[in-house]
């Protein structure tokens, strides 16, 4: 009894199609986000996150329509990230039916944007997405920095300090992705997840590296995350969301079944 | 045709709530509106809200909706959701203290940031996610909903000092707080039924099936 830990499937959307990690030959025709969202909802997803991976203005227009269609029939929380740069972007997404927006690079270029967004729309809908990489040398105490451009560009910003700052600016949740682990299927960066989850007051979503059901359990029990996010393991149907939740419950984690 | 008015005062996402109402009652006319006459002539009224209470109350007052809501609250079946629930109470300590509509006796306070959960970790604020909703007595709002079903919550403040006989259900984080209340013809919930999948839709359906008639005389 009590607040359940959440499982959040993530859909990477390009030009109205789900692209990343989906088992199809033609990646441009990988999947209809509305259909996939519907499936995850039926399987018991606690929320769904949509990530606009190219974030061009055309794409954002397409994303608005995707969210509208999903929100018409899927009655669980929806988060949209990618290309959220202005208050007007947030307003459009919320009006389309999103409940939260993920802000990533716009927060780095202009941290005040997070403050303005939280003041205007409330912290409950402002998720700050952090892409972090370990930068400490072997033997040194672990340290992580924020990277942009899909992990290619170093910012020099310490990830833990950044998370604290973003929460003080009004972020209601942190979506934390380990760029070292993303796509590797060797599990979350548990040290990174714990380092941030233990110092911020808001919920932390662990992301990057899920390959097995045990990884999801570890994210919660060892990483101290409040929610776990994964993309390809669900798209590939290596396991369903229902199976993931059952496994978490079998390991003593409170979930919504 | 039955009309459901969703009160629009310019804050937040009304797409989901109106779609959810439409889904559970396809024959109803669901209108998102700030128009006084439309609200007062509707059969059922939904008063949603997200964000910070100060902005919400300011938006309600500047749209002249405070009097409309008070008027509607006299006899219409009205459902407050999240900030809508908080706004119906007397006072919130958010934003250094904000006077609310004062329709239902009760206060709004922040979750205690020192509270610890069963694993002795400090609780995260906002209270975000799916939590059990425990009702003590069967009531029309929770018809066909099992006790302790999970609903979706996202909030940092909660109701307190609400009379025990007005509390329909509690949630625990990590102490009990009222998450559903009923005052005469008004019901109000802290969670988001429009984001709580099938159980949430069932609750909305129950609300639309409720005429509030028997109840309005209960406390009169």
């Amino acid at each position: 009894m009590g607040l359940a830990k959440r499982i959040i499937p993530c859909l990477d959307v390009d030009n109205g199609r789900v692209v990343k990690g989906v088992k199809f030959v033609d990646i441009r025709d990988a999947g209809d986000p509305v259909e996939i969202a519907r499936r995850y909802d039926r399987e018991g997803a606690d929320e769904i996150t949509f990530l606009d991976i190219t974030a061009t203005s055309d794409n954002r227009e397409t994303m608005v329509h995707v969210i509208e269609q999903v929100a018409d029939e899927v009655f669980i929380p929806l988060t949209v990230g990618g290309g959220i740069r202005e208050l007007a972007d947030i307003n459009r997404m919320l009006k389309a039916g999103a409940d939260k927006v993920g802000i990533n690079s716009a927060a780095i270029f202009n941290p005040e944007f997070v403050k303005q967004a939280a003041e205007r729309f409330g912290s409950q809908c402002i998720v700050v997405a952090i892409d972090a990489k370990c930068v400490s040398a072997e033997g040194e105490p672990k340290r992580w920095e924020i990277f942009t451009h899909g992990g290619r560009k170093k910012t020099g910003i310490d990830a833990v300090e950044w998370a604290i700052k973003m929460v003080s600016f009004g972020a209601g949740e942190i979506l934390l992705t380990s760029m070292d682990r993303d796509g590797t299927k060797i599990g979350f960066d548990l040290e990174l997840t714990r380092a941030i989850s233990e110092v911020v007051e808001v919920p932390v979503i662990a992301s990057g590296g899920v390959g097995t059901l045990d990884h999801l359990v570890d994210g919660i029990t060892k990483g101290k995350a409040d929610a776990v996010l994964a993309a390809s393991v669900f798209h590939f149907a290596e396991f369903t969301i229902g199976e993931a939740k059952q496994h978490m419950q079998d390991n003593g984690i409170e979930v919504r079944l | 045709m039955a009309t459901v008015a969703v009160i629009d005062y310019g804050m937040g996402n009304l797409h989901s709530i109106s779609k959810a109402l439409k889904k559970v009652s396809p024959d109803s006319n669901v209108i998102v509106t700030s128009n006084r006459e439309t609200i007062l002539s509707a059969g059922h009224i939904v008063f949603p809200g997200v964000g910070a209470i100060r902005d919400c109350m300011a938006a309600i007052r500047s749209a002249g909706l405070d009097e409309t809501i008070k008027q509607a609250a006299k006899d219409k079946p009205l459902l407050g959701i999240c900030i809508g629930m908080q706004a119906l109470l007397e006072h919130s300590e958010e934003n250094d203290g904000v006077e609310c509509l004062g329709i239902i006796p009760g206060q709004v306070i922040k979750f205690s940031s020192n509270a610890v959960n069963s694993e002795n970790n400090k609780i995260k604020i906002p209270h975000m996610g799916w939590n059990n909703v425990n009702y003590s007595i069967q009531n029309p709002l929770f018809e066909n909903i099992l006790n302790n079903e999970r609903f979706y919550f996202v909030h940092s403040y909660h109701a307190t000092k609400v009379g025990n006989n007005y509390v329909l259900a509690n949630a625990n984080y990590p102490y009990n707080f009222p998450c559903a209340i009923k005052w005469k013809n008004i019901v109000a919930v802290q969670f988001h039924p429009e984001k709580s999948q099938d159980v949430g839709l069932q609750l909305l359906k129950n609300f639309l099936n409720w005429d509030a008639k028997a109840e309005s005389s209960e406390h009169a």
Side-chain angles (χ1 to χ4, degrees):
Chain A
M1 290 285 287
L3 186 64
K5 301 296 182 184
R6 290 168 281 155
I7 293 198
I8 307 173
C10 177
L11 309 185
D12 289 348
V13 179
D14 179 21
N15 198 24
R17 307 297 292 182
V18 176
V19 289
K20 185 178 146 192
V22 185
K23 206 177 179 177
F24 284 90
V25 181
D26 181 359
I27 201 158
R28 288 282 157 196
D29 195 24
D32 173 14
V34 181
E35 182 49 48
I36 295 176
R38 220 184 266 142
R39 190 179 93 215
Y40 289 154
D41 175 47
R42 280 197 304 265
E43 285 182 9
D46 295 312
E47 298 183 19
I48 301 174
T49 290
F50 298 84
L51 197 58
D52 177 354
I53 58 165
T54 42
T56 58
S57 53
D58 276 2
N59 238 4
R60 204 150 47 234
E61 200 55 51
T62 312
M63 192 61 128
V64 168
H65 295 305
V66 167
I67 296 302
E68 275 172 354
Q69 287 178 64
V70 173
D72 278 358
E73 47 185 317
V74 171
F75 297 101
I76 60 174
L78 309 173
T79 303
V80 189
I84 303 291
R85 301 186 185 100
E86 297 170 24
L87 295 178
D89 296 329
I90 302 177
N91 199 29
R92 278 171 74 204
M93 289 306 178
L94 297 182
K95 278 221 157 76
D99 302 280
K100 311 185 222 179
V101 293
I103 303 175
N104 192 337
S105 43
I108 295 162
F109 299 131
N110 176 20
E112 291 291 320
F113 175 55
V114 172
K115 212 179 245 180
Q116 292 162 5
E119 273 168 20
R120 172 70 185 84
F121 302 103
S123 291
Q124 86 290 335
C125 70
I126 305 301
V127 184
V128 168
I130 297 178
D131 293 341
K133 252 187 194 180
C134 185
V135 292
S136 49
E138 194 75 36
E140 275 180 8
K142 285 267 185 164
R143 217 169 59 74
W144 300 266
E145 270 185 24
I146 306 295
F147 280 70
T148 60
H149 299 81
R152 295 189 302 276
K153 228 171 175 177
K154 205 174 166 170
T155 62
I157 303 168
D158 179 83
V160 177
E161 284 169 24
W162 180 246
I164 293 169
K165 180 172 174 177
M166 286 297 95
V167 171
S168 76
F169 276 27
E173 191 170 40
I174 299 287
L175 167 53
L176 178 63
T177 303
S178 162
M179 301 309 289
D180 300 310
R181 299 300 177 91
D182 203 26
T184 63
K185 300 201 164 195
I186 59 169
F188 296 118
D189 183 337
L190 298 173
E191 282 180 84
L192 166 69
T193 309
R194 191 170 54 242
I196 290 185
S197 191
E198 284 185 342
V199 296
V200 296
E201 187 184 55
V202 304
V204 171
I205 306 166
S207 155
V210 175
T212 69
L213 293 173
D214 283 334
H215 291 156
L216 298 172
V217 172
D218 290 345
I220 303 289
T221 56
K222 297 179 184 157
K224 305 279 177 206
D226 302 281
V228 284
L229 178 140
S232 52
V233 284
F234 295 130
H235 299 333
F236 271 111
E238 287 171 18
F239 41 80
T240 65
I241 289 164
E243 287 163 352
K245 285 185 153 181
Q246 188 60 52
H247 187 74
M248 288 166 79
Q249 189 179 55
D250 293 345
N251 282 272
I253 297 171
E254 182 113 37
V255 290
R256 177 179 72 110
L257 274 177
Chain B
M1 188 190 272
T3 302
V4 186
V6 178
I7 301 177
D8 178 11
Y9 49 99
M11 300 285 291
N13 162 14
L14 302 179
H15 182 103
S16 301
I17 184 65
S18 54
K19 288 292 173 184
L21 290 164
K22 196 78 204 160
K23 170 113 181 166
V24 298
S25 186
D27 297 331
S28 292
N29 186 18
V30 178
I31 310 174
V32 176
T33 181
S34 57
N35 181 278
R36 178 183 167 86
E37 281 69 40
T38 310
I39 294 169
L40 294 179
S41 64
H44 285 76
I45 299 165
V46 177
F47 177 33
V50 293
I53 190 78
R54 183 186 53 209
D55 295 346
C56 282
M57 286 309 304
I60 289 165
R61 291 195 173 109
S62 76
L65 285 169
D66 44 344
E67 286 312 313
T68 303
I69 294 166
K70 283 180 187 168
Q71 179 69 35
K74 283 183 184 161
D75 53 3
K76 290 283 165 91
L78 186 144
L79 170 66
I81 298 174
C82 193
I83 296 288
M85 168 183 182
Q86 298 182 5
L88 290 167
L89 300 169
E90 294 163 315
H91 182 270
S92 170
E93 68 174 27
E94 189 175 4
N95 306 124
D96 303 319
V98 173
E99 288 307 311
C100 302
L101 293 167
I103 295 170
I104 303 175
Q107 309 285 316
V108 180
I109 58 168
K110 193 171 187 186
F111 278 108
S112 165
S113 57
N114 294 319
V116 292
N117 62 17
S118 52
E119 288 104 53
N120 214 30
N121 294 319
K122 269 173 112 178
I123 60 162
K124 295 296 182 92
I125 300 172
H127 171 222
M128 189 186 285
W130 299 79
N131 206 338
N132 306 102
V133 169
N134 178 265
Y135 52 81
S136 38
I137 42 156
Q138 188 53 252
N139 58 81
L141 198 62
F142 288 95
E143 204 151 304
N144 296 317
I145 295 173
L146 293 174
N147 207 357
N148 298 315
E149 278 280 14
R150 290 181 187 276
F151 286 80
Y152 188 80
F153 289 81
V154 50
H155 61 125
S156 301
Y157 292 79
H158 65 82
T160 187
K161 295 185 181 160
V162 177
N164 275 339
N165 42 339
Y166 312 132
V167 176
L168 288 183
N170 285 295
N172 186 284
Y173 193 68
Y175 50 82
N176 283 344
F177 67 91
C179 68
I181 56 182
K182 182 167 82 62
W183 167 264
K184 301 177 183 174
N185 50 297
I186 305 168
V187 285
V189 293
Q190 180 59 62
F191 49 82
H192 288 270
E194 78 281 14
K195 287 289 159 184
S196 299
Q197 226 203 11
D198 297 348
V199 285
L201 294 176
Q202 181 65 49
L203 186 137
L204 292 175
K205 194 175 183 178
N206 293 345
F207 169 66
L208 295 181
N209 286 335
W210 179 56
D211 63 10
K213 289 223 169 70
E215 281 78 13
S216 60
S217 57
E218 222 171 76
H219 305 292

